[in-house]
Structure formats: C-alpha cells, structure tokens
Amino acid sequence: TITTVTRNFAFDNCDVKDTSAVLNFLASFTTTTTDNASDGLTITRNRIISTVATGAARMATIAGNLDNAFIADNYYSAKTTGTGATIACGSKSLTNLLYLRNRLNIVGTTAGNTVLISTSSGTNSGMISETTMHGLSQTPVLATASSGFVYGANNLWSDTADLQGYLVPAADT
C-alpha cells in the first residue's frame, strides 16, 4: 500500500506469489487516496500470482486520481477476481494510462464482468493495447463503458484452452 506522495514509483522485474491460503493478498498495489500523489506509477515486467480462491483479487486498487501510469509486460494470474476488475478505480480517474502487452490468466471471472479496469469516472484517457487474456466463458468487458480509454490493436480474449483467442473489442470497420 502506497500511503504517501510517491510520484514515479517503479515496481519492475519482480516475482510476487501468494504462497499460502492464510496470506491471500487481495491487491498487489493500493495507491494513496490523495489525488495525483502516485502519478507516474510504473508496474513493468513482473510476474504476479494470486491463490485467493474467493473475493476480489486485483493487480491494483487506485484510490486517488492517477496520471501517467505505465503498466506493461506483466504476467498476472488469479483464481478469481470476484466481481471486480484487475484494476479497480472506483470514482477516480486514470489519465494518460499506457496499459501494454500484459498477459492475464483470470480463472474465476464471471460473465459480463469488467476484466481490466473498473471506474465510474468518464474522464479517463490512455491506451490499452496488445494484452492477452484468458478466463472462463464470458463476454469480456475490458473497461467500464464510457470510460474514455482508447483500445489499441491486438487485445485478445480466450475462454477456451488451446485456442488463440479473439479480438476484444471487435475490430473497427
């Protein structure tokens, strides 16, 4: 949990694994509630594995408005995200987000749930691109509707083992 002003904090090339049912970390990162105190947060080249069997396991909880976050080249695996997304923002905004080339294996997702980013703010901005996701059979929602995020190329979703996956959202015409 980031509790102070920590602009440009970087978490890079780490192996994070929940090794016991009594540990069950629910969020790898939680920012401070102070808006823009965690601007420039960088989460790159990590392997994050959660063994939480129930509840909302997340890669990150964004508790204050956040600008210039860079989340790229991570592998994230969780048995469940409960009813939540891998990044939960509540009413807070993510602006100038770059969410690139991440690999997600989310076993316990539920149909229609938001998979990547949940936010009730409509003032978000940024790019979600080249992310590969696997979960149970469902219609994936990458981010909350009207969130303002731009989807780049090649976001793939697979709900069946041994299959390539399909573009989400669908290709533009």
Side-chain angles (χ1 to χ4, degrees), residues 18-109:
D18 184 354
T19 59
S20 167
V22 299
L23 299 177
N24 287 345
F25 64 82
L26 295 179
S28 300
F29 303 91
T30 301
T31 66
T32 178
T33 57
T34 304
D35 289 340
N36 302 104
S38 298
D39 286 356
L41 175 66
T42 300
I43 304 170
T44 53
R45 302 182 315 149
N46 299 292
R47 197 172 84 129
I48 301 168
I49 299 172
S50 173
T51 60
V52 174
T54 60
R58 304 185 189 320
M59 180 188 294
T61 299
I62 307 303
N65 292 334
L66 182 62
D67 188 40
N68 290 323
F70 182 60
I71 302 170
D73 302 310
N74 297 290
Y75 173 74
Y76 176 78
S77 178
K79 288 185 177 182
T80 180
T81 59
T83 58
T86 56
I87 298 176
C89 302
S91 63
K92 300 301 180 175
S93 295
L94 285 172
T95 52
N96 300 305
L97 168 71
L98 287 176
Y99 190 96
L100 310 172
R101 299 176 308 276
N102 293 288
R103 307 295 177 249
L104 308 174
N105 183 20
I106 307 166
V107 176
T109 53

Side-chain angles (χ1 to χ4, degrees), residues 78-162:
K79 288 185 177 182
T80 180
T81 59
T83 58
T86 56
I87 298 176
C89 302
S91 63
K92 300 301 180 175
S93 295
L94 285 172
T95 52
N96 300 305
L97 168 71
L98 287 176
Y99 190 96
L100 310 172
R101 299 176 308 276
N102 293 288
R103 307 295 177 249
L104 308 174
N105 183 20
I106 307 166
V107 176
T109 53
T110 305
N113 279 353
T114 302
V115 176
L116 291 184
I117 302 168
S118 66
T119 174
S120 61
S121 172
T123 58
N124 301 291
S125 63
M127 175 74 67
I128 300 171
S129 186
E130 298 179 51
T131 294
T132 302
M133 300 153 281
H134 178 269
L136 296 178
S137 180
Q138 67 167 321
T139 303
V141 179
L142 296 189
T144 308
S146 304
S147 63
F149 293 111
V150 175
Y151 300 106
N154 301 322
N155 293 306
L156 297 175
W157 174 264
S158 174
D159 56 18
T160 305
D162 302 325

